[in-house]
Structure formats: C-alpha cells, structure tokens
Amino acid sequence: MKTSALPIVSSCQSPGLAPSFEQTLAFHHLLPLKAHLISILQVNIGKVCNQTCHHCHVNAGPQRTESMSKDTMDQVLDVLDRTPQITTVDITGGAPEMNPYFEYLVEQCRARGRKVIDRCNLTVFYVKGKARLPRFLADHQVDIIASLPCYEEGNVNQQRGKGVFDRSIMALQSLNSLGYGKEGTGLVLDLVYNPLGPVLPPPQAELEQDFKEELGQRYGIQFNRLYTITNMPISRFRDDLAEAGQLEHYYTLLLNHFNPSAVDGLMCRSLLSVGWDGRLYDCDFNQMLDLPVQTETQEWIHQFDLTLLEHRHIVVGPHCFGCTAGAGSSCGGALT
Ligand code: SF4
Ligand code: SF4
C-alpha cells in the first residue's frame, strides 16, 4: 500500500497547516482532476429511510420527506434514451425502496436494457407493504448491494439499530432462496462493509473470505462480493466524531494514508450523481454537502449535456481524502 510522501501530519497540528486535497493532488502531479466518462448514473431517489444508522452520510431517517418525483424520474429516463454510454443505473437513498415510484424507475430502466443496482438496507423488506420487494427485484434481475457492516449481531445493532441484525439475516436468507448470491442464477448479491469507528477498512479480499466463512457456517448465507467502504467524515458520522473529539484525528488518519494510485479509479471520474430534486453532482458525498457539479456544466438533469459533463472538473474538498486513503474507497469498494 502506497502512502503520501507529503509530511506526516500530527493530529494535534492546526488543521490550517494541513495540506488541502487539491494541494495533495498537485504535489503528486495529479491535477487537474477531471471526469473521463460517464458510464454510471447514480440516482438518489430520496432521504427517507426506515433506519437511522450512526454512520449515515445522508442523514436519512423516517422523518425525512425528500423524495424524487415521477416527473424527475422521467427526466432521468429521457437522459438514458439519449445516452447509450450509460450502461448502469445505481439507485440509492435513503432506503430507495421507500420512494413510491421505485418500482416504476426499476421497470423503466430495465426496459431500456440498463443494468440496475439497488442499494438496499435489507430491513426495508419488513416495512409494511414492502414484502413483495425481494420477488420484484429477482423478477427484474436487479443487482442488490446490501449493507452489512459485520457478521456479529452486537456490532451491527450498535451501528444500525436494535433488531437490524436479525432482520438483515432473514432478508439475506430470503434473497438466497430466490437464487440471489448463487452461481448460475445471474442474480447478484453483494455486501457492503464499513468500519464501526474512525479507522480504515481492513483488506477487502481477506474480509470477504471471513464474511463468506462466517455467514456461510452460521446462517447458510451465500453472496457474491464484499465491498469495503471508508466512512466519510460528513453528516451524521462527522457529527458523532466531533462530539467524541475525534474529528481532527480522523482527518489526520485519512490524510496520512493518502494513496496516489487510488486517484485514477475515483468513482467521480466515471459516475454522475443525481439528487432527489434532479440536481447533478460528482458523487453522492458531494450531493450531501450541497456541492453540485461546476457551474460551467449544466447543473440539472433536464439540462444534461454529455460532452460538457464528461469533461467536467471534479469539485473536491477535505472529505475526498476518504476516497483516497489506504486501498481507496468507492461505492464499488476498494480502488487498488
Ligand atoms: S446508512 Fe443506509 S440504512 Fe442507514 S440510515 Fe443511512 S440510508 Fe438508511
Ligand atoms: S468524495 Fe466524491 S468528489 Fe471527492 S474524491 Fe470521492 S468521489 Fe470524488
């Protein structure tokens, strides 16, 4: 694992003295940071969620009301009709299935031949009226990327809420019974791991092996891939760190583990993020920080211009160190 040749920053050093993300990229001759294509449209269809996890970068929960309208979804579909280069629609939230038009969006994207990913918290299957979701997802050959930060009950419940572990296990077993995670079915079930606290994730391949053994032996669960994701110092996780007096320490950890070889694969270089109201962002993290795509490019889905957007400069901030620390991090797991 490569680390930065910049001076190591001490956690008691003034944040003002630490190099910015842009300065760090410049030091490694990695500026300008620009998109190079758009093959994935990541559509955040709302902030409503049946859970309120501690690390949530969306600050999602049952009390949120933001939800993508059917009109905005139709604008997304219009972009797909004009842009065959976009092969994947990655649907996220909140719990995206809480949006009343979730199934409409899935059906329309699949009808257009796109791969569809549902970022699923698993427990949403047990929300009233959602019991048919697993069958719906299987019938439409939707890839599922499900959150499960540990195979130990106490750790999961501590981060995601009481009872979440048991319901997650039941949900995974029910997905397996439909063929998800099993060879030859084409039904993809990937899991997402994120650390419980302010540390970097362990090596992805080794952890995947551990999860496969533990979930297989204990619960008979099978899945395809495990993705490790670094907790981003924004929103609820940032607030928790600040309250515990650990925020500066965490930024220092991320900065001191800057890995230049992660920069080429940053997800913002091949993905465009759409907010619940149709605004465009470089990634879901920038979306939560209200940092839309640079204003020289059009900022809204109805203004979508592939040529401008594919060559846009990425808007960065200190949170970006979360994507470049250690093995790197993205919605598709480690980068190196
Ligand atoms: S992390 Fe996921 S499941 Fe948890 S509150 Fe946020 S959106 Fe909901
Ligand atoms: S936070 Fe977003 S913009 Fe920053 S490096 Fe990560 S993906 Fe790119």
Side-chain angles (χ1 to χ4, degrees):
M1 185 183 296
K2 292 180 190 171
T3 53
S4 167
L6 281 169
I8 297 294
V9 178
S10 146
S11 61
C12 55
Q13 190 168 332
S14 157
L17 296 176
S20 69
F21 189 71
E22 274 188 312
Q23 286 169 328
T24 306
L25 292 181
F27 181 85
H28 291 278
H29 310 290
L30 292 167
L31 284 179
L33 183 64
K34 292 175 75 175
H36 59 79
L37 78 162
I38 299 172
S39 60
I40 302 174
L41 209 55
Q42 188 172 66
V43 189
N44 190 318
I45 61 174
K47 298 186 180 181
V48 183
C49 188
N50 56 308
Q51 293 183 190
T52 43
C53 307
H54 282 298
H55 68 289
C56 183
H57 74 269
V58 181
N59 207 7
Q63 78 289 355
R64 299 304 294 255
T65 53
E66 301 90 332
S67 195
M68 184 176 277
S69 68
K70 189 162 173 287
D71 281 351
T72 305
M73 286 182 186
D74 285 335
Q75 290 169 8
V76 171
L77 297 170
D78 183 53
V79 166
L80 293 183
D81 287 336
R82 291 186 275 126
T83 321
Q85 298 92 322
I86 298 175
T87 55
T88 300
V89 181
D90 182 341
I91 307 179
T92 188
E97 306 87 348
M98 298 294 279
N99 183 305
Y101 304 108
F102 169 77
E103 293 188 13
Y104 170 76
L105 182 62
V106 169
E107 285 165 348
Q108 293 299 316
C109 292
R110 292 296 293 138
R112 287 161 172 79
R114 294 333 202 272
K115 171 175 158 175
V116 173
I117 297 170
D118 174 28
R119 293 197 178 261
C120 178
N121 70 13
L122 297 172
T123 62
V124 73
F125 297 162
Y126 303 100
V127 170
K128 197 175 170 200
K130 303 290 181 192
R132 76 184 211 98
L133 269 171
R135 168 56 66 190
F136 170 83
L137 294 168
D139 286 348
H140 291 81
Q141 298 263 305
V142 174
D143 288 10
I144 296 178
I145 300 186
S147 316
L148 192 70
C150 192
Y151 42 75
E152 299 288 355
E153 177 174 3
N155 289 339
V156 172
N157 288 347
Q158 180 194 331
Q159 185 183 85
R160 299 176 72 76
K162 199 173 161 200
V164 167
F165 182 77
D166 285 345
R167 277 176 282 148
S168 300
I169 294 297
M170 277 195 305
L172 290 170
Q173 288 168 334
S174 119
L175 290 170
N176 277 170
S177 72
L178 291 167
Y180 268 105
K182 300 207 167 166
E183 248 177 68
T185 62
L187 292 172
V188 175
L189 173 59
D190 294 331
L191 299 184
V192 169
Y193 162 91
N194 61 285
L196 290 163
V199 293
L200 296 182
Q204 184 168 276
E206 286 169 36
L207 194 65
E208 179 180 292
Q209 203 48 44
D210 284 354
F211 265 67
K212 284 197 164 160
E213 281 170 20
E214 295 294 336
L215 290 176
Q217 284 165 14
R218 296 183 194 196
Y219 308 105
I221 288 170
Q222 291 174 265
F223 65 94
N224 297 100
R225 301 277 318 273
L226 177 85
Y227 300 130
T228 55
I229 295 187
T230 302
N231 288 320
M232 296 301 277
I234 60 179
S235 195
R236 204 176 285 154
F237 184 64
R238 185 186 196 283
D239 295 346
D240 281 359
L241 289 178
E243 201 173 312
Q246 292 182 315
L247 184 59
E248 198 178 325
H249 163 79
Y250 191 58
Y251 268 121
T252 303
L253 176 82
L254 298 178
L255 172 63
N256 285 342
H257 286 82
F258 177 78
N259 180 356
S261 62
V263 173
D264 191 43
L266 287 173
M267 63 180 176
C268 46
R269 307 195 68 207
S270 56
L271 165 154
L272 190 71
S273 162
V274 187
W276 68 274
D277 55 358
R279 205 161 193 194
L280 303 178
Y281 303 84
D282 295 305
C283 71
D284 204 54
F285 305 122
N286 282 9
Q287 184 178 145
M288 298 314 144
L289 291 168
D290 278 329
L291 296 172
V293 290
Q294 273 202 340
T295 43
E296 299 87 71
T297 51
Q298 282 93 344
E299 278 187 44
W300 297 88
I301 188 73
H302 68 269
Q303 301 170 311
F304 186 96
D305 180 319
L306 183 69
T307 310
L308 282 176
L309 287 163
E310 272 199 329
H311 297 96
R312 73 192 189 279
H313 286 259
I314 307 290
V315 178
V316 297
H319 61 292
C320 296
F321 282 114
C323 294
T324 53
S329 179
S330 73
C331 288
L335 296 172
T336 61

Coordinates of all heavy atoms in Angstrom, one line a residue, residues 41 73-87 89 104 107-114 301 304 306:
L41 N -25.0 6.2 -13.9 CA -25.8 7.3 -13.3 C -26.3 6.8 -12.0 O -27.0 5.8 -11.9 CB -27.0 7.5 -14.2 CG -27.6 8.9 -14.3 CD1 -26.6 10.0 -14.6 CD2 -28.8 9.0 -15.3
M73 N -38.0 11.5 -12.3 CA -37.6 10.1 -12.8 C -37.7 10.1 -14.4 O -36.9 9.5 -15.1 CB -38.4 9.0 -12.2 CG -38.1 8.8 -10.8 SD -39.0 7.4 -10.1 CE -38.6 7.5 -8.4
D74 N -38.8 10.7 -14.9 CA -38.9 10.7 -16.4 C -37.8 11.5 -17.0 O -37.4 11.1 -18.2 CB -40.3 11.3 -16.7 CG -41.4 10.2 -16.5 OD1 -41.1 9.0 -16.4 OD2 -42.6 10.7 -16.2
Q75 N -37.3 12.5 -16.4 CA -36.2 13.2 -16.9 C -34.9 12.4 -16.9 O -34.1 12.4 -17.9 CB -35.9 14.5 -16.2 CG -37.1 15.6 -16.4 CD -37.0 16.7 -15.4 OE1 -36.0 16.9 -14.6 NE2 -38.0 17.6 -15.4
V76 N -34.8 11.6 -15.9 CA -33.6 10.6 -15.9 C -33.8 9.6 -17.0 O -32.8 9.3 -17.7 CB -33.6 9.8 -14.5 CG1 -32.6 8.7 -14.5 CG2 -33.3 10.8 -13.4
L77 N -35.0 9.1 -17.2 CA -35.2 8.1 -18.3 C -35.0 8.8 -19.7 O -34.4 8.1 -20.6 CB -36.6 7.6 -18.2 CG -36.9 6.8 -16.9 CD1 -38.4 6.5 -16.8 CD2 -36.1 5.5 -16.9
D78 N -35.3 10.0 -19.8 CA -35.1 10.7 -21.0 C -33.6 10.8 -21.3 O -33.1 10.6 -22.5 CB -35.7 12.2 -20.9 CG -35.5 12.9 -22.2 OD1 -35.9 12.4 -23.3 OD2 -35.0 14.1 -22.2
V79 N -32.8 11.0 -20.3 CA -31.3 11.0 -20.4 C -30.8 9.7 -20.9 O -30.0 9.5 -21.8 CB -30.6 11.5 -19.1 CG1 -29.1 11.2 -19.2 CG2 -30.8 12.9 -18.9
L80 N -31.4 8.6 -20.3 CA -31.0 7.2 -20.7 C -31.3 7.0 -22.2 O -30.5 6.4 -22.9 CB -31.7 6.2 -19.9 CG -31.3 6.1 -18.4 CD1 -32.1 5.0 -17.7 CD2 -29.8 6.0 -18.2
D81 N -32.5 7.5 -22.6 CA -32.8 7.3 -24.0 C -31.8 8.0 -25.0 O -31.6 7.5 -26.1 CB -34.2 7.9 -24.3 CG -35.3 7.0 -23.7 OD1 -35.1 5.8 -23.5 OD2 -36.4 7.6 -23.4
R82 N -31.2 9.1 -24.5 CA -30.3 9.8 -25.4 C -28.8 9.4 -25.2 O -28.0 9.9 -25.9 CB -30.4 11.3 -25.0 CG -31.7 12.0 -25.4 CD -31.6 13.5 -25.2 NE -31.9 13.9 -23.8 CZ -31.1 14.6 -23.0 NH1 -29.9 15.0 -23.5 NH2 -31.5 15.0 -21.8
T83 N -28.6 8.6 -24.2 CA -27.2 8.3 -23.8 C -26.9 6.8 -23.6 O -26.8 6.3 -22.5 CB -26.9 9.1 -22.5 OG1 -27.5 10.3 -22.5 CG2 -25.4 9.3 -22.3
P84 N -26.7 6.1 -24.7 CA -26.4 4.7 -24.6 C -25.1 4.4 -23.8 O -25.0 3.3 -23.3 CB -26.3 4.2 -26.1 CG -26.2 5.4 -26.9 CD -26.7 6.6 -26.1
Q85 N -24.2 5.3 -23.7 CA -23.0 5.1 -23.0 C -23.2 4.8 -21.5 O -22.4 4.2 -20.8 CB -22.0 6.4 -23.0 CG -21.6 6.8 -24.4 CD -22.5 7.8 -25.0 OE1 -23.7 7.7 -24.9 NE2 -21.9 8.7 -25.7
I86 N -24.4 5.3 -21.0 CA -24.7 5.0 -19.6 C -25.3 3.6 -19.5 O -26.4 3.4 -20.0 CB -25.7 6.0 -19.0 CG1 -25.0 7.4 -19.1 CG2 -26.1 5.7 -17.6 CD1 -25.9 8.5 -18.6
T87 N -24.5 2.7 -19.0 CA -24.9 1.3 -19.0 C -25.5 0.8 -17.7 O -26.2 -0.2 -17.7 CB -23.7 0.3 -19.3 OG1 -22.7 0.6 -18.3 CG2 -23.1 0.6 -20.7
V89 N -27.6 2.0 -14.0 CA -28.3 2.9 -13.1 C -28.2 2.4 -11.7 O -28.7 1.3 -11.4 CB -29.8 3.1 -13.5 CG1 -30.5 4.1 -12.6 CG2 -29.9 3.6 -15.0
Y104 N -41.4 1.7 -10.5 CA -41.6 2.3 -11.8 C -40.2 2.6 -12.4 O -39.9 2.2 -13.6 CB -42.4 3.6 -11.7 CG -42.4 4.5 -13.0 CD1 -43.2 4.2 -14.1 CD2 -41.6 5.6 -13.0 CE1 -43.1 4.9 -15.2 CE2 -41.6 6.4 -14.2 CZ -42.3 6.1 -15.3 OH -42.3 6.8 -16.4
E107 N -38.4 -0.7 -13.4 CA -39.0 -1.3 -14.6 C -38.6 -0.5 -15.9 O -38.3 -1.1 -16.9 CB -40.6 -1.3 -14.5 CG -41.1 -2.3 -13.5 CD -42.6 -2.1 -13.2 OE1 -43.1 -1.0 -13.4 OE2 -43.1 -3.0 -12.5
Q108 N -38.6 0.8 -15.8 CA -38.3 1.6 -17.0 C -36.8 1.5 -17.3 O -36.5 1.5 -18.5 CB -38.7 3.0 -16.7 CG -40.2 3.3 -16.6 CD -41.0 2.8 -17.9 OE1 -40.5 3.1 -19.0 NE2 -42.1 2.1 -17.7
C109 N -36.0 1.4 -16.3 CA -34.5 1.3 -16.6 C -34.3 -0.1 -17.2 O -33.5 -0.2 -18.2 CB -33.7 1.5 -15.4 SG -33.7 3.2 -14.7
R110 N -34.9 -1.1 -16.7 CA -34.7 -2.5 -17.2 C -35.2 -2.6 -18.6 O -34.6 -3.2 -19.5 CB -35.3 -3.5 -16.3 CG -34.6 -3.6 -14.9 CD -33.2 -4.1 -15.0 NE -33.1 -5.5 -15.5 CZ -32.2 -6.0 -16.4 NH1 -31.3 -5.2 -16.9 NH2 -32.2 -7.2 -16.7
A111 N -36.4 -1.9 -18.9 CA -37.0 -2.0 -20.2 C -36.0 -1.3 -21.2 O -36.1 -1.6 -22.4 CB -38.3 -1.2 -20.2
R112 N -35.2 -0.4 -20.8 CA -34.2 0.3 -21.6 C -32.9 -0.5 -21.7 O -31.9 0.0 -22.1 CB -34.0 1.7 -21.2 CG -35.2 2.6 -21.5 CD -35.2 3.9 -20.7 NE -36.2 4.8 -21.1 CZ -37.5 4.7 -20.9 NH1 -37.9 3.7 -20.1 NH2 -38.3 5.6 -21.3
G113 N -32.9 -1.7 -21.1 CA -31.7 -2.6 -21.2 C -30.6 -2.2 -20.3 O -29.4 -2.6 -20.5
R114 N -30.8 -1.4 -19.3 CA -29.7 -1.0 -18.4 C -29.6 -2.0 -17.2 O -30.6 -2.5 -16.7 CB -30.0 0.4 -17.8 CG -30.0 1.6 -18.8 CD -29.1 1.3 -20.0 NE -28.7 2.6 -20.6 CZ -29.4 3.2 -21.6 NH1 -30.6 2.7 -22.0 NH2 -29.0 4.4 -22.1
I301 N -30.7 17.7 -14.2 CA -30.9 16.6 -15.1 C -31.5 17.0 -16.4 O -31.2 16.4 -17.5 CB -31.6 15.4 -14.4 CG1 -31.6 14.2 -15.2 CG2 -33.1 15.8 -14.0 CD1 -30.4 13.4 -15.3
F304 N -29.0 18.0 -19.0 CA -27.9 17.1 -19.2 C -27.3 17.2 -20.6 O -27.9 17.1 -21.6 CB -28.5 15.6 -19.1 CG -27.4 14.6 -19.1 CD1 -26.9 14.0 -17.9 CD2 -27.0 14.0 -20.3 CE1 -25.9 13.0 -17.9 CE2 -26.0 13.0 -20.3 CZ -25.5 12.5 -19.1
L306 N -23.9 15.5 -22.3 CA -22.9 14.5 -22.1 C -21.5 15.1 -22.3 O -20.6 14.8 -21.5 CB -23.1 13.3 -23.0 CG -22.2 12.1 -22.8 CD1 -22.3 11.5 -21.4 CD2 -22.3 11.1 -23.9

